[in-house]
Amino acid sequence: MPWLAIVLVGVALAGLLSVLDKTVIHRYARMPYLQPLVIGITMMLIGLPLLAWTGIPSSATSEALLAALASGVCYGLGTHILVYTLYRQEVSRVIPVYQTYPIFTALIAFTFLGERLDAFEWVAMLAVVGGAVLLSFRRDESGCGFLLDRAFIVLIIGSVIEGSSFVFGKSAVSDLPVLFTHAVRLIAIGSVLLALNLRRRSLEQVLWFVRTRSPALKFVALNQLVISNASQFLFLWALSLGPTTLVTALSSLRTFFVVVYAIALSMVWRGALGEVSTPATVTVKLFSTMLIVSGVAVIAIGSG
């Protein structure tokens, strides 16, 4: 299964992308729409030249092109929701909740495509949701109870949208070359993020970063031009080679990498992500993450 190795590399890169994005947001961004605007600009800068280079294949159908565009639009909307939430929340709490999209993909398939799940797979999904809910609980001010973070519902909506992008992506790469599909998706992603986040203040700050040669540019260049671009291409490549459900499920291992990266970075560079790591919080995050990963693993095995 060569696609398995491709997914794992893509997941490891996606986890690193999330941590570095949070670093930019915490240390440099002054407004929530700055980061998605920068992402939108870089996606267009990559997608347009790539599309011009690949050209439109003669075998392209309108249905496949629409699927590629829909995949990009869904990914762009999901990214918008994710980055806005990262602006106010801890990355190691946000990503595990957002990465529950395989459960919604499976539920949609069960409802509309008649794909049935066995008891173990339903238990696995409960583990995924349970781990996500646990990660999004916080102690209230009195310290006597727990409060469900208000961002949870927003993240779940983003998760559903993200899961849809995989379904459309699979449909696109079934008929289109992977590199061409990647270019179309990048343009769609960039268009959505620019439409939602292009504001005068955010654009002025981007120009200020350029004029002052801010260190934020290095993070953005590494994140979007290299890591994000490579990760998205690898996921599309894996979708062209492997089953949608299994590739989507394994992509949720991003949660594990994010938690590990965040804990390691907070120990080496205190305050880099704006998170406080105590033995109690680390224990909760690791336990919750293992619940999610275990659930995803069962789904993956069952789908295989």
Side-chain angles (χ1 to χ4, degrees):
M1 295 187 294
W3 57 266
L4 180 60
I6 296 172
V7 173
L8 292 178
V9 175
V11 168
L13 289 174
L16 181 60
L17 172 69
S18 299
V19 172
L20 292 178
D21 274 344
K22 178 61 177 180
T23 301
V24 173
I25 291 170
H26 175 63
R27 298 184 66 86
Y28 303 106
R30 297 292 181 266
M31 55 199 74
Y33 38 80
L34 174 62
Q35 181 75 352
L37 173 62
V38 174
I39 295 174
I41 293 172
T42 54
M43 294 298 100
M44 296 296 284
L45 289 176
I46 299 172
L48 289 172
L50 184 59
L51 181 62
W53 182 66
T54 60
I56 301 176
S58 58
S59 59
T61 63
S62 57
E63 292 81 5
L65 287 172
L66 285 174
L69 288 170
S71 178
V73 168
C74 288
Y75 191 93
L77 289 172
T79 298
H80 177 80
I81 292 173
L82 176 61
V83 175
Y84 261 65
T85 309
L86 280 174
Y87 188 77
R88 296 180 175 86
Q89 305 289 335
E90 295 182 4
V91 63
S92 51
R93 290 184 186 273
V94 169
I95 297 300
V97 178
Y98 188 78
Q99 288 293 121
T100 57
Y101 55 76
I103 189 174
F104 300 109
T105 301
L107 288 172
I108 292 171
F110 174 76
T111 304
F112 296 102
L113 303 179
E115 297 181 4
R116 297 188 176 277
L117 304 173
D118 59 32
F120 287 105
E121 290 171 325
W122 282 114
V123 171
M125 290 186 181
L126 291 177
V128 172
V129 174
V133 171
L134 183 59
L135 272 167
S136 59
F137 270 86
R138 298 174 182 270
R139 279 192 175 277
D140 60 22
E141 294 181 357
S142 66
C144 298
F146 289 89
L147 296 173
L148 184 62
D149 198 297
R150 287 177 294 180
F152 180 79
I153 300 300
V154 176
L155 287 171
I156 289 297
I157 294 173
S159 180
V160 174
I161 296 173
E162 176 82 2
S164 301
S165 74
F166 277 85
V167 177
F168 286 119
K170 175 64 174 181
S171 177
V173 294
S174 296
D175 299 315
L176 298 172
V178 174
L179 195 58
F180 170 76
T181 304
H182 181 51
V184 173
R185 287 182 80 252
L186 290 178
I187 294 172
I189 294 168
S191 299
V192 169
L193 293 178
L194 287 175
L196 294 175
N197 299 281
L198 186 58
R199 292 169 170 81
R200 180 178 178 180
R201 286 184 59 201
S202 58
L203 186 58
E204 288 176 347
Q205 188 168 7
V206 172
L207 295 175
W208 182 81
F209 282 160
V210 175
R211 287 195 301 268
T212 60
R213 297 182 180 180
S214 169
L217 293 177
K218 297 179 181 179
F219 282 104
V220 171
L222 177 63
N223 286 8
Q224 304 306 323
L225 296 178
V226 180
I227 299 176
S228 177
N229 189 40
S231 177
Q232 291 185 54
F233 175 77
L234 289 172
F235 282 137
L236 270 182
W237 188 12
L239 279 172
S240 70
L241 299 174
T244 309
T245 305
L246 189 51
V247 171
T248 306
L250 289 177
S251 70
S252 282
L253 289 173
R254 175 182 184 179
T255 297
F256 174 77
F257 286 103
V258 166
V259 172
V260 171
Y261 292 157
I263 292 173
L265 186 58
S266 64
M267 291 179 177
V268 175
W269 186 4
R270 186 176 298 275
L273 301 176
E275 300 189 11
V276 178
S277 294
T278 65
T281 59
V282 170
T283 300
V284 170
K285 289 176 181 179
L286 287 177
F287 176 73
S288 303
T289 299
M290 290 312 299
L291 273 179
I292 296 172
V293 171
S294 298
V296 169
V298 172
I299 295 172
I301 294 171
S303 300

